[in-house]
């Protein structure tokens, strides 16, 4: 979700958002992640994209969960 970072204003400055990506995502999901990154950047919220590694969907899921912990 990309709501709530303005209220309270300090919240946006106190978080760092990880946007997990996968080559297995549907194009609409990939587009949603790009738009979310744009919104976070426009609102000054610290964020970074993390591309899941691995050949298959399950391997990428394990990799992304490990990075997100």
């Amino acid at each position: 979700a990309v709501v709530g970072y303005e209220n309270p204003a300090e919240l946006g400055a106190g978080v760092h958002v990880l946007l997990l990506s996968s080559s297995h995502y549907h194009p609409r999901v990939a587009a949603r992640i790009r738009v979310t990154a744009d919104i976070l950047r426009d609102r000054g919220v610290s964020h970074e994209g993390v591309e899941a590694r691995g050949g298959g969907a399950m391997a990428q899921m394990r990799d992304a969960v490990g990075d997100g912990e």
Side-chain angles (χ1 to χ4, degrees):
V2 293
V3 296
Y5 291 104
E6 308 88 6
N7 299 306
E10 323 61 76
L11 179 63
V15 299
H16 182 79
V17 178
L18 290 178
L19 299 168
L20 304 177
S21 298
S22 168
S23 60
H24 292 280
Y25 281 171
H26 188 280
R28 283 183 296 215
V29 175
R32 185 176 299 127
I33 291 171
R34 287 191 302 274
V35 169
T36 300
D38 291 344
I39 292 169
L40 292 171
R41 185 183 59 251
D42 292 347
R43 293 183 181 175
V45 177
S46 175
H47 66 283
E48 66 181 294
V50 177
E51 183 70 30
R53 298 174 305 261
M58 185 63 77
Q60 287 190 5
M61 181 181 70
R62 284 195 324 257
D63 181 68
V65 169
D67 285 347
E69 291 186 304

